[in-house]
Amino acid sequence: MLTSLLVIRSVNMSAIKIENIKKEYKLKKQSIFALDNISYDFEYGKMYAIMGHSGSGKTTLIQCLGTLDNVTEGKVFIENEDVFKMSPAKRNTIRNSKIGFIFQNYYLNNTMRAYENVMLPMLINKKFKKSNIKDIAIDTLKDLGLSERITHYPKELSGGEQQRVAIARAIVNNPKIILADEPVANLDEENEKFVLQKLKEMAQNGKCVIVVSHNPEIKKYADVIIDMKRGKFLDNEI
Amino acid sequence: MKFKYYLFLAKKSFFHKKINIINVLLLAISMTIIVFAFSFSKTFNNIIENQISGNINSHILLIPNHSSTVNLSDVDNISFLTDFSFYIKYVQNENDEDISLIGVPSNYLKISSGKNFSDVTDKQVMICPSRFYLGSDSEVYDEAFLENIQDGKKYVNKSMHLLTQNYDKEYKIIGTYDVNKYTYGEFNVCFTRQSNIVDISNSELEYLKNECDSEKQNCEDISLSNTTVVIVDDVKKIDETKRQIEQKGYIVRYMSEVDTNFLNAITIVLLLLTSIILVVCFIIMILYNNKKVEYNKKNNLIYKAMGYDNKTLIKVNYLEVFILSIISELLCITFCFVIYKIISQNFAVDIKTGFQIYISYLAFIVGFVISLCVSILTVYLSINNNKNTLIEELSDGEI
Ligand SMILES: Nc1ncnc2c1ncn2[C@@H]1O[C@H](COP(=O)(O)OP(=O)(O)OP(=O)(O)O)[C@@H](O)[C@H]1O
Ligand SMILES: [Mg+2]
């Protein structure tokens, strides 16, 4: 009873809110607005699919939402806090404990075994100071069906397996926001289904999941579909 | 973050990179070159110190064949001057050779073996060179010449007859002093108490007087044609001292010539070489560290996406370069040991060459500190100056 109440509370809360954000890239002669005056409110408990042509500003948006990049104009709020008014240390803490990133090319650390990669976000998280982080990492990998691949190096894993390790790394700190940039672009159908299903489950468990993808398959999983064109959102929510 | 984790990250980042093998090798080689540049300078300085400055022959200027008292009170760089010096024949076994006898105050000489004048009460005692060369007039320092070099220590506690026309006394050799092993001086120079020189001088004068009397010549002006021995303090300034004495109208000769220009030139060349090597090593280290940090950049950005801050990343990188420097240092020590073995086996330290290598232990520390400083600087600059965002860094694919 109590848990469901908590879930309902967090579902109602705004995860990331953006207000009139612009991102300008100044080149030699012209300047490009990769994000052009966008306002939106991403909520907990929903899975968002961001679609659009190449160069429409999807990656830029994900980076700005995840505080990895500054915006030229406008405001970004995470849980109603203005991220650009925070200290860099606070932003780091938020990235570590509240946001999980998943990338198209996995970006695992090739010098580390699968479970060591998953341990990385826990090393700097105070929550895990007294826990056995190796066991937690191994359990997370087992949940993602990698119980046979725990001590493998990324090079010894298939693309789908690498992406699952990357997902384990993104969710091991139990962040409430998941930002995924083309997470299934390099995967076969079976792995694609697995990953999208996982992301959907996370949204159902109350997280805010934002996924960039070209793949029309995502429409089956997402709660909200946002089309981007030239740095703007086209309104066609389901 | 716990130190254990820093170590974990640094170790992981260090041991799986091929570029680190190159870096370790390069650092080790640079450090070895630094050690050898330093050691070579030190060896050479030691040669100058011990073999030239430490050799009394190099300090001596001679003012031969004058009859009046030499007044050098206003000449710089002189600490001792004696008017009594003789060429005396000594007889010892079958060898006989001219030696030069110089009177010195009892605590003037530094001895290398045996005793000094102040340690004994006997009057007729001498301190002779650690190496005599006997029975060869050769100008060429060939095998035959080298074979005629005698170890001066063999003569300690032995006696020799010193002969002049009117003087014949047994002198005991009580000790030896070190001589230049490279430039064999002009003379076998032995030192004795000043009072002995006065005695010899008087007996010589007496002999000359008797000669005059017997030949019924006009002997009003009998005096001994002396050689004045001037001992200078700083060998490197001996030329200037010689010039000052010559300005007073005396003829001055070196006891054993030291080419000070050559010495100074060599010192400057060595200094220059060492500095060039240092700068080159510095540049190589910066370039390679930079390359390595470039390599780390993407990794660091992924870490940032996970919430790592610059401070943590810098600390991890510092720890990594520290591991790197330590491994390079160990490798450098191994290199130096091997090279030292090879050199000392092929250029054995012996009496003939007198060659001895001095290893500069300071250089190991200097090399280590330099490599560490350069690494730390490049890490610091490259992490703090990396304004690129993840998009830009990741746009070209794989880490
Ligand atoms: N660092 C940069 N400097 C200049 N322009 C940039 C930079 N990064 C992105 N852009 C431009 O901003 C626009 C949006 O780029 P972004 O990477 O967000 O597109 P995208 O929608 O993710 O495309 P894709 O589907 O190909 O990944 C593009 O026109 C791109 O050329
Ligand atoms: Mg993109």
Side-chain angles (χ1 to χ4, degrees), chain B residues 87-93 95-99 101 124 126 128 155 158-164 167-173 190 200:
Chain B
Y87 297 99
I88 292 177
K89 230 172 166 75
Y90 71 85
V91 178
Q92 164 70 27
N93 300 329
N95 301 314
D96 68 323
E97 192 77 22
D98 282 335
I99 67 162
L101 198 62
Q124 270 90 29
M126 296 195 292
C128 288
Y155 292 90
K158 294 207 170 123
S159 294
M160 294 183 176
H161 279 284
L162 296 192
L163 304 168
T164 67
Y167 186 87
D168 181 358
K169 281 222 165 100
E170 258 203 3
Y171 275 69
K172 193 173 152 197
I173 299 178
C190 289
I200 299 171

Side-chain angles (χ1 to χ4, degrees), chain B residues 21-36:
Chain B
I21 299 174
I22 302 168
N23 216 337
V24 161
L25 267 173
L26 250 142
L27 280 180
I29 290 169
S30 305
M31 285 172 169
T32 311
I33 294 173
I34 289 173
V35 169
F36 271 82

Side-chain angles (χ1 to χ4, degrees), chain A residues 110-146:
Chain A
N110 284 328
T111 68
M112 296 183 187
R113 299 172 189 281
Y115 76 89
E116 289 169 337
N117 264 293
V118 180
M119 275 159 61
L120 287 178
M122 288 188 279
L123 300 183
I124 51 166
N125 194 315
K126 293 198 175 77
K127 203 166 78 184
F128 295 101
K129 234 177 184 171
K130 295 213 170 82
S131 349
N132 185 342
I133 57 172
K134 185 176 168 182
D135 288 349
I136 298 173
I138 291 173
D139 287 345
T140 313
L141 284 172
K142 279 181 182 165
D143 285 348
L144 287 157
L146 290 172

Side-chain angles (χ1 to χ4, degrees), chain A residues 25 60 63 68-69 92 95-96 101 103 107-109 111-112 116 120-121 123-124 129 133 153 169, chain B residues 1-2 5 8-9 12-13 16 299 302-309 312 389-391 394 397-399:
Chain A
Y25 286 117
T60 309
Q63 306 288 335
L68 286 174
D69 204 354
N92 286 328
R95 270 209 292 276
N96 180 251
F101 285 96
F103 306 98
Y107 295 122
L108 297 175
N109 192 322
T111 68
M112 296 183 187
E116 289 169 337
L120 287 178
L123 300 183
I124 51 166
K129 234 177 184 171
I133 57 172
Y153 283 100
R169 185 180 66 182
Chain B
M1 196 163 74
K2 294 180 192 168
Y5 295 156
F8 163 74
L9 294 177
K12 278 289 166 185
S13 142
H16 283 270
N299 244 338
I302 300 294
Y303 279 120
K304 279 191 190 174
M306 285 185 252
Y308 283 75
D309 55 11
T312 311
T389 59
L390 200 61
I391 303 189
L394 299 187
E398 291 276 322
I399 303 178

